[in-house]
């Protein structure tokens, strides 16, 4: 059996050993037999625990059977090993953010109260999920009641890849240390949501989250009555879902701060795959392509959409997927005092049609929320959501008066692109957004999607459309020509034609018509080519 060591970086104080408290919902394995080990550069590396093949084992697990709902291949293991170099880079980033050294640990018994270091518990096993915990310097559960910041990791990423691998989580790991500088206290917990394929909505994973929160209250002194959830993409979705607390577990929610979250999977359930090519690539990752032995040939985009349904719904149907989306549990968000969501009009991993659904549902529910839309923005964070999170944490720790706006739902337009954000915000209505497929097969049915506040919409190209539409999203179906060529699209909104400056990436509004059967590689030649055409207008 391989034992996961602990990584001790220079300058770490060890004042008082810690004795963990048992919690009914989890039976953590006893601590590893190895003593604290100081690893140096040039050694074989720091493998965090994957708990394979035994507790605290560090081997990469073999591929699980074909993943389906509730049987995710990394439910209790993590597919990525972390090198010593990655661990040291993580510790260095945390040191730069907090001014304190870092200890990376395998078990709660290795914690020390009053330590001057950041302490990181790597991959604690809660039921079907792995949770990594970041605790700031000076932590003392006998005197502190830290704010608990809970996050799911984005995309199909794992704890090792996103936390110790310095992914999106690196933007959160400094919060405990920064809080300590202000004489405050905070703890950050990252969950792998039950596995790389999971969206965090399986009932067992929801229960795992509640268990991790209960454990943090009993062992770290965390304030479980005021938990703050945050995340991006899948993590943004889990923030909203776990913040809604669908099983009515014994924790309170002080705030939810979500970047680019999926809401109702409308783009997967209703729209043709040509409109969201990046999701095809993500679905391929979920299916284990191209290495997966479960595919004998290259799948089509529709094949991959079917795979998504099998993984994210109990019976593999679109209806069961819809029944387990965040939207299905939206009533639980009524009790959340601080709610902030960021969206991008040209997000190709979570289509804007999902965002429009969220806007409409929030409006129908009368929710008080901060909503920020990045016009022409892709799958990126919105700066106002980060600002609201910072303000909320200072407010919750008693450091400042609240600056969160409790007014009815606001839509703030941040006219940003994928590269250069513009911090000038203007309040307004829902922007108009249109998407056209870049590729279509001859004679095949496809669609154009236009979302907006409602009004006169004219479309010409593969289809002719001229009518007044209601607020929301309008899908315009068309059939590809019988011969190869190019479809040129034009859009007129409220009597004004869409200008070239309003196009996404200044790309022409065109659809290429081909007689070749289109597989995944036709839409996603590589991960840097999103193959999207569209427009956005304030």
């Amino acid at each position: 059996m391989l034992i996961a060591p602990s990584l001790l970086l220079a300058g770490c104080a060890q004042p008082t050993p810690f004795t963990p408290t048992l919690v009914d919902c989890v039976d953590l394995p006893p601590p590893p037999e190895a003593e604290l080990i100081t690893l140096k550069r040039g050694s074989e590396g720091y493998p965090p625990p994957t708990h394979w093949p035994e507790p605290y084992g560090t081997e990469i697990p073999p591929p699980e059977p074909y993943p389906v709902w509730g049987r995710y291949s990394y439910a209790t293991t993590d597919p990525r090993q972390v090198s010593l170099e990655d661990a040291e880079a993580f510790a260095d980033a945390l040191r730069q953010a907090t001014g304190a050294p870092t200890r990376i640990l395998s078990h709660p018994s290795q914690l020390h109260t009053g330590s001057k270091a950041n302490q990181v518990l790597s991959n604690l096993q809660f039921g079907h999920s792995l949770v990594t915990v970041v605790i700031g310097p000076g932590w003392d559960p006998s005197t502190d009641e830290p704010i608990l910041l809970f996050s799911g990791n984005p995309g199909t990423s794992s704890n090792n890849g996103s936390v110790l691998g310095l992914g999106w989580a690196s933007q959160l790991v400094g919060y405990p240390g920064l809080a300590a500088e202000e004489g405050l206290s905070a703890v950050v917990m990252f969950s792998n949501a039950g596995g790389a394929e999971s969206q965090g909505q399986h009932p067992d994973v929801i229960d795992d989250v509640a268990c991790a929160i209960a454990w943090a209250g009993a062992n770290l002194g965390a304030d479980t009555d005021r938990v703050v959830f945050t995340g991006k993409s899948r993590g943004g979705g889990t923030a909203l879902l776990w913040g809604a607390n669908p099983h009515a577990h014994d924790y309170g929610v002080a705030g939810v701060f979500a970047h680019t979250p999926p809401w109702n999977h409308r783009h997967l359930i209703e729209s043709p795959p040509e409109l969201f090519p990046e999701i095809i690539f993500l679905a391929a990752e979920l299916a284990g392509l191209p290495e997966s032995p479960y595919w004998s040939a290259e799948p089509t985009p529709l094949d991959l959409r079917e795979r998504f349904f099998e993984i994210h719904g109990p019976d593999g149907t679109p209806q069961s997927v819809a029944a387990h989306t965040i939207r299905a549990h939206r009533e639980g968000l009524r009790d959340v005092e601080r709610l902030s969501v960021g969206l991008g009009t040209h997000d190709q991993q979570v289509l804007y049609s999902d965002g429009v659904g969220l806007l409409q549902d929030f409006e129908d529910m009368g929710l008080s929320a901060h909503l920020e839309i990045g016009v022409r923005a892709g799958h990126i964070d919105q700066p106002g959501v980060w600002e609201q999170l910072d303000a909320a944490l200072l407010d919750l720790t008693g450091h400042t008066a609240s600056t969160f706006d409790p007014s009815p739902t606001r839509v703030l337009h941040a006219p940003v692109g994928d590269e250069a954000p513009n911090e000038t915000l203007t309040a307004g209505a829902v922007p108009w957004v249109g998407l056209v497929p870049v590729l279509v097969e001859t004679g095949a049915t496809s669609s154009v999607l236009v979302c907006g506040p409602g009004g006169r919409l004219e479309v010409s190209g593969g289809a002719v459309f001229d009518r007044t539409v209601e607020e929301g999203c309008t899908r315009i179906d068309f059939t590809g020509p019988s011969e190869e060529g190019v479809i040129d699209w034009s859009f007129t909104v409220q009597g004004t034609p869409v200008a070239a400056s309003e196009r996404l990436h200044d790309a022409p509004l065109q659809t290429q018509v081909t007689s070749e059967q289109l597989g995944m590689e036709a839409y996603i030649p590589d991960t840097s080519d999103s193959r999207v055409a569209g427009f956005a207008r304030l």
Side-chain angles (χ1 to χ4, degrees):
M1 169 179 169
L2 293 176
I3 301 296
S6 297
L7 177 61
L8 178 61
L9 300 178
C12 301
Q14 303 177 39
T16 307
F18 175 72
T19 302
T21 299
L22 297 177
V23 177
D24 289 341
C25 64
V26 63
D27 183 17
L28 292 177
E33 300 168 1
E35 299 293 331
L36 275 172
I37 298 174
T38 301
L39 299 180
K40 299 180 180 179
R41 287 189 181 276
S43 66
E44 292 183 357
Y46 167 70
T50 61
H51 304 292
W52 178 268
E54 299 175 272
Y56 303 104
T58 60
E59 296 179 23
I60 297 177
E64 288 281 339
Y66 194 77
V68 294
W69 170 256
R71 190 180 71 197
Y72 307 118
S73 62
Y74 309 127
T76 55
T77 52
D78 202 309
R80 180 171 186 255
Q81 290 286 29
V82 177
S83 67
L84 178 61
E85 287 73 22
D86 277 348
E88 287 182 329
F90 166 82
D92 188 58
L94 197 49
R95 178 190 60 77
Q96 291 184 37
T98 65
T102 298
R103 303 171 68 222
I104 301 178
L105 312 170
S106 300
H107 193 272
S109 64
Q110 296 168 331
L111 289 171
H112 288 79
T113 61
S115 172
K116 296 180 181 178
N118 298 290
Q119 301 182 87
V120 180
L121 290 168
S122 177
N123 284 351
L124 298 185
Q125 191 172 337
F126 288 90
H128 296 75
S129 307
L130 295 178
V131 175
T132 291
V133 188
V134 180
I135 304 168
W139 162 74
D140 186 345
S142 66
T143 59
D144 298 336
E145 192 176 28
I147 290 296
L148 178 57
L149 186 60
F150 203 104
S151 179
N153 288 315
T156 58
S157 56
S158 61
N159 271 8
N160 292 344
S162 282
V163 184
L164 300 187
L166 282 180
W168 186 85
S170 64
Q171 300 177 75
L172 295 176
V173 294
Y175 273 101
L178 294 175
E181 290 181 3
E182 301 287 345
L184 311 173
S185 186
V187 170
V188 182
M189 303 184 83
F190 300 94
S191 171
N192 76 342
E197 302 92 344
S198 168
Q199 292 293 306
Q201 81 277 44
H202 191 277
D204 292 343
V205 175
I206 293 172
D207 292 345
D208 293 343
V209 170
C211 182
I213 291 171
W215 182 90
N219 283 276
L220 307 180
D223 185 351
T224 59
D225 292 327
R226 300 188 301 167
V227 181
V228 176
F229 290 94
T230 189
K232 176 182 179 180
S233 189
R234 177 184 73 168
T238 60
L240 288 165
L241 176 66
W242 299 340
N245 195 3
H247 292 181
H249 284 295
D250 189 20
Y251 62 80
V253 182
V256 174
F257 302 85
H259 297 270
T260 65
W263 177 249
N264 54 21
H265 291 315
R266 182 175 180 178
H267 56 297
L268 284 165
I269 295 172
E270 298 180 4
S271 302
E274 304 93 275
L275 289 178
F276 50 96
E278 283 190 24
I279 205 69
I280 299 172
F281 180 81
L282 289 176
E285 281 192 332
L286 296 182
L289 295 171
E291 294 85 4
S292 172
Y294 306 110
W295 295 101
S296 58
E298 181 185 350
T300 69
L302 286 174
D303 291 332
L304 291 170
R305 185 163 65 173
E306 294 302 314
R307 287 291 296 113
F308 186 94
F309 294 158
E310 291 176 7
I311 293 171
H312 298 301
D315 60 12
T317 64
Q319 293 75 21
S320 69
V321 172
H324 288 81
T325 59
I326 305 157
R327 183 180 189 274
H329 302 290
R330 64 191 181 280
E331 286 296 323
L333 295 172
R334 289 189 183 277
D335 298 327
V336 178
E337 181 180 354
R338 302 166 181 85
L339 184 58
S340 181
V341 180
L343 308 168
T345 61
H346 284 80
D347 185 339
Q348 284 303 296
Q349 295 185 26
V350 180
L351 272 196
Y352 186 58
S353 57
D354 249 32
V356 169
L358 180 147
L359 293 172
Q360 291 179 315
D361 286 333
F362 278 23
E363 183 177 351
D364 292 344
M365 295 171 67
L367 288 183
S368 296
H370 165 271
L371 299 173
E372 185 167 308
I373 301 174
V375 178
R376 302 188 75 193
H379 199 63
I380 61 174
D381 298 357
Q382 294 301 329
V385 179
W386 282 110
E387 293 168 4
Q388 293 293 335
L389 173 60
D390 291 346
L393 291 178
L394 289 173
D395 173 32
L396 290 168
T397 51
H399 192 67
T400 62
S402 176
T403 59
F404 190 86
D405 185 355
S407 64
T409 297
R410 299 182 304 154
V411 178
L412 300 177
H413 299 295
V416 302
D418 284 334
E419 301 298 333
N422 181 337
E423 296 184 1
T424 301
L425 301 179
T426 56
V430 177
W432 286 93
V433 173
L435 293 173
V436 302
V438 175
L439 294 170
V440 66
E441 294 179 32
T442 53
T445 299
S446 189
S447 300
V448 170
L449 187 68
V450 181
C451 301
R456 196 70 184 179
L457 172 65
E458 301 171 42
V459 180
S460 65
V464 176
F465 184 92
D466 182 359
R467 71 189 67 168
T468 298
V469 296
E470 297 181 355
E471 179 180 359
C473 294
T474 299
R475 173 175 163 174
I476 304 166
D477 294 331
F478 70 95
T479 301
S482 58
E483 296 182 358
E484 293 187 338
V486 174
I487 300 173
D488 289 299
W489 296 94
S490 64
F491 295 83
T492 299
V493 177
Q494 294 286 63
T496 303
V498 168
S501 61
E502 296 174 309
R503 297 173 183 173
L504 179 63
H505 305 310
D506 298 322
L509 293 172
Q510 293 181 336
T511 299
Q512 186 76 32
V513 183
T514 177
S515 60
E516 297 179 10
Q517 184 175 1
L518 299 177
M520 182 181 70
E521 293 300 321
Y523 294 99
I524 304 291
D526 59 68
T527 57
S528 64
D529 185 354
S530 59
R531 296 257 176 160
V532 174
F535 73 90
R537 168 182 291 179
L538 286 173

